[in-house]
Amino acid sequence: KEGKVGRKDGQMLPGEDEPLHALVTANTMENVKKAVEQIRNILKQGIETPEDQNDLRKMQLRELARLNGTLRE
């Protein structure tokens, strides 16, 4: 995400100089194809769904708040 690049010490994190990508591994080609389709659906939802209606984003932000100890019910 723009503006979030690098660590506090100014160094880049591993992979930050690479284009956005996903590594998919599975024991069958069918499972790889299923995973790729799921990734495409997630990206499509993230692009096409308004932020306030994006349930996946809401769940991710809720989990992040829980992990950070800042979750308010």
Side-chain angles (χ1 to χ4, degrees), residues 4-64:
K4 298 288 184 181
V5 177
R7 301 183 305 219
K8 290 179 182 176
D9 61 6
Q11 299 296 312
M12 292 184 91
L13 295 170
E16 280 188 326
D17 58 343
E18 298 176 11
L20 184 61
H21 64 280
L23 173 64
V24 178
T25 61
N27 53 357
T28 68
M29 219 29 222
E30 182 180 337
N31 287 340
V32 169
K33 289 177 183 179
K34 287 179 184 178
V36 168
E37 188 59 32
Q38 286 182 322
I39 292 168
R40 285 190 176 128
N41 289 337
I42 290 169
L43 291 173
K44 183 178 177 184
Q45 180 182 357
I47 292 168
E48 295 178 356
T49 306
E51 203 167 305
D52 62 334
Q53 297 173 13
N54 189 330
D55 291 334
L56 177 61
R57 179 171 171 76
K58 288 177 186 176
M59 289 185 324
Q60 290 173 331
L61 290 173
R62 180 180 173 82
E63 179 66 12
L64 181 60

